Amino acid sequence: MPPHSQPSRSHRPAIAGGDGARSPVVAGCTLALLLVATTPATAKESDSFTHRWEALAFPIGEVRGEPVPDFTDDLNDLVNTLFADTLEELNQENRRLNRDCRDPAAQRRLYHRVRNALGGPVVFTRNRLRPAINSHPKNFKIPLPRSIYRDFPPWRSISLGLLSKFGDKMAEMVRFDLEEELVATGGEVAPRGAVWSVSGPAGDEVARFAAADRRPATAAGRAYYRLANGQAVVTEDGRVTLVTPILVGSDKFSHFFFRGHLLYRRLAGGEPGRLEELLDYNYGLEVSLWGSKSTGVAAYGDLVANFQGLRFYIRLRGESFDGRPMSDPLGADTGFVDCDGGAVWRQTRPIDLRDYLDPAWDEAHNCNLVRSNGLLAMVERRLDDLAAGDSEHRYRCPVDRELIERTAERYGRFAPRLINA
């Protein structure tokens, strides 16, 4: 967890006497029930530590006897199938209304329907991706009463504290194996003292890593060396790849598609604003009543998912609602949906979530900010319990400081608003 927390003067309120006055506890519980009733994902926090290392064992983890493999291809297939269905529905709607897809109303409708088909939580609207993620057999769930947040009392964390006593509201945990090619062909991995050295075809060293925690093994025709930090170096037909498994809560995709749309709408629908100001607004959402003021935890991973969702919507068409060109803040190409000049939207290339995923989504790398020192102590005690049964791995955030610091470089000037290492 983070090395610091915001100071708090919170304390356990006294229960009101018999004068009929409503106590702060009753008022807080009433508010929590209202939040749960109106916002399905209010308490969908992630726990990236419990069962972390079992789930991320390479090449396939295992939690409670069930395999936890890489979910990237499955999720990409789900997203692209739903996206294609959405475009077809929009095209049918355009034909029925005799509407050109270049019409501003049709363009707004595109973003609205994509958000509702893929995002969430969207009250009273369709959200088809979330149930597909949450019911997938490759994911696993940590019951809130057994999570690192289970000690939060209702009077200090309205949603998590209340629901830990009555329900099971943690997000599904999803594993992604992020790959970075080190050598395209002709590479090899060899031990050199206390490190593994990766050499290119000319014998020149291109990378080195701390000693692996076990000998090379083979799976599905690939030789791999599992590193002590949870990464793996994989060799196959002379190609050398670095694999970084990360653990992401399914709630991040609600942020990606829904909050990302909110940020895009603010940026594209009105006067052009500075991205820095928009990211200040993004942070304000996370520490509001719908964030840490109800849960006790401000998740920087949520801030990153929101920002990456903003990139997704910018890249969708590469322009605002009024046709004003918009560029990706991180410099990638834009425009994977095009209008044929009539009623038809066409997808020009598939959506690949690997364009947006990175270790900053993982709350064990990108540290949460706990609202008070008291709540932080409760989490740290549970992390100590996990560490007591596993002396080989780190149970403090960040679990790999070098990795999250390298990841922060990707975000450039935006990193201070998105990364907490």
Side-chain angles (χ1 to χ4, degrees):
M1 297 307 290
H4 63 279
S5 68
Q6 292 176 336
S8 172
R9 295 166 58 190
S10 61
H11 59 282
R12 180 171 182 169
I15 302 298
D19 58 358
R22 179 172 295 178
S23 75
V25 173
V26 174
C29 292
T30 302
L31 176 59
L33 291 173
L34 179 62
L35 290 174
V36 173
T38 57
T39 310
T42 296
K44 288 288 186 181
E45 291 295 322
S46 303
D47 177 353
S48 294
F49 286 93
T50 304
H51 298 305
R52 176 181 186 82
W53 300 107
E54 301 101 303
L56 296 187
F58 194 84
I60 294 178
E62 183 177 290
V63 174
R64 294 189 291 266
E66 297 294 330
V68 185
D70 178 19
F71 190 49
T72 312
D73 289 340
D74 286 8
L75 187 55
N76 272 338
D77 289 345
L78 281 171
V79 168
N80 280 285
T81 297
L82 290 175
F83 192 79
D85 291 346
T86 300
L87 290 186
E88 180 55 33
E89 292 169 8
L90 286 167
N91 291 337
Q92 293 176 9
E93 182 179 291
N94 287 342
R95 295 186 190 102
R96 186 176 68 252
L97 298 175
N98 195 27
R99 184 170 61 190
D100 191 315
C101 52
R102 292 171 297 187
D103 187 305
Q107 297 206 31
R108 288 180 180 273
R109 186 73 171 148
L110 168 69
Y111 289 89
H112 177 77
R113 288 292 295 277
V114 168
R115 180 198 72 169
N116 289 355
L118 302 181
V122 185
V123 182
F124 307 124
T125 58
R126 287 184 301 169
N127 168 21
R128 293 176 289 176
L129 179 63
R130 189 181 182 91
I133 295 177
N134 288 354
S135 64
H136 201 283
K138 288 189 176 182
N139 305 331
F140 69 97
K141 191 168 187 176
I142 301 162
L144 181 51
R146 294 203 293 271
S147 78
I148 59 175
Y149 302 114
R150 64 183 177 268
D151 298 321
F152 283 17
W155 51 89
R156 299 180 73 177
S157 171
I158 296 172
S159 57
L160 288 178
L162 183 66
L163 290 169
S164 66
K165 308 301 183 288
F166 299 103
D168 185 357
K169 288 288 181 179
M170 296 301 288
E172 298 280 339
M173 300 308 296
V174 183
R175 172 191 173 144
F176 298 102
D177 290 351
L178 308 180
E179 296 191 356
E180 175 187 352
E181 191 171 78
L182 299 178
V183 181
T185 56
E188 64 174 16
V189 181
R192 292 186 181 176
V195 301
W196 290 107
S197 175
V198 179
S199 300
D204 53 320
E205 185 179 76
V206 297
R208 63 170 56 196
F209 304 93
D213 66 357
R214 67 175 180 177
R215 295 175 62 85
T218 301
R222 309 170 85 196
Y224 65 91
Y225 307 76
R226 195 174 72 183
L227 307 180
N229 64 357
Q231 294 177 295
V233 176
V234 175
T235 62
E236 183 177 17
D237 298 328
R239 304 170 73 93
V240 183
T241 303
L242 176 65
V243 180
T244 304
I246 62 172
L247 203 57
V248 175
S250 61
D251 61 313
K252 296 293 181 288
F253 296 98
S254 295
H255 284 270
F256 181 85
F257 288 109
F258 185 60
R259 284 282 172 82
H261 178 269
L262 174 63
L263 297 180
Y264 172 82
R265 195 173 69 224
R266 290 179 67 91
L267 193 64
E271 290 296 321
R274 293 175 57 238
L275 266 172
E276 286 82 356
E277 294 172 356
L278 188 67
L279 294 185
D280 288 341
Y281 169 77
N282 182 38
Y283 180 81
L285 292 175
E286 187 61 26
V287 296
S288 70
L289 179 63
W290 308 107
S292 66
K293 286 187 178 178
S294 88
T295 64
V297 176
Y300 275 74
D302 291 354
L303 300 179
V304 165
N306 298 346
F307 176 77
Q308 293 289 359
L310 168 66
R311 293 185 61 229
F312 169 79
Y313 287 108
I314 289 174
R315 297 182 70 198
L316 189 67
R317 296 275 294 129
E319 59 185 39
S320 66
F321 295 135
D322 59 7
R324 173 169 44 88
M326 299 183 72
S327 58
D328 178 7
L330 300 187
D333 294 336
T334 59
F336 55 88
V337 174
D338 199 5
C339 176
D340 72 344
V344 177
W345 292 112
R346 287 197 174 93
Q347 185 175 355
T348 58
R349 65 176 183 268
I351 298 169
D352 189 346
L353 291 174
R354 284 167 292 201
D355 293 341
Y356 309 98
L357 285 164
D358 60 38
W361 290 58
D362 188 329
E363 293 181 9
H365 290 301
N366 196 6
C367 305
N368 293 339
L369 187 66
V370 181
R371 196 181 68 233
S372 74
N373 291 323
L375 294 176
L376 179 62
M378 295 175 190
V379 173
E380 289 182 330
R381 281 197 297 270
R382 293 303 177 182
L383 292 174
D384 289 341
D385 291 343
L386 294 173
D390 181 3
S391 60
E392 296 183 6
H393 297 108
R394 175 175 168 82
Y395 286 92
R396 281 293 188 275
C397 188
V399 292
D400 188 339
R401 182 176 297 277
E402 181 182 353
L403 177 61
I404 191 61
E405 288 178 348
R406 285 204 316 271
T407 302
E409 295 174 1
R410 176 189 186 193
Y411 292 90
R413 73 181 194 273
F414 308 119
R417 293 172 169 83
L418 300 170
I419 308 293
N420 178 27

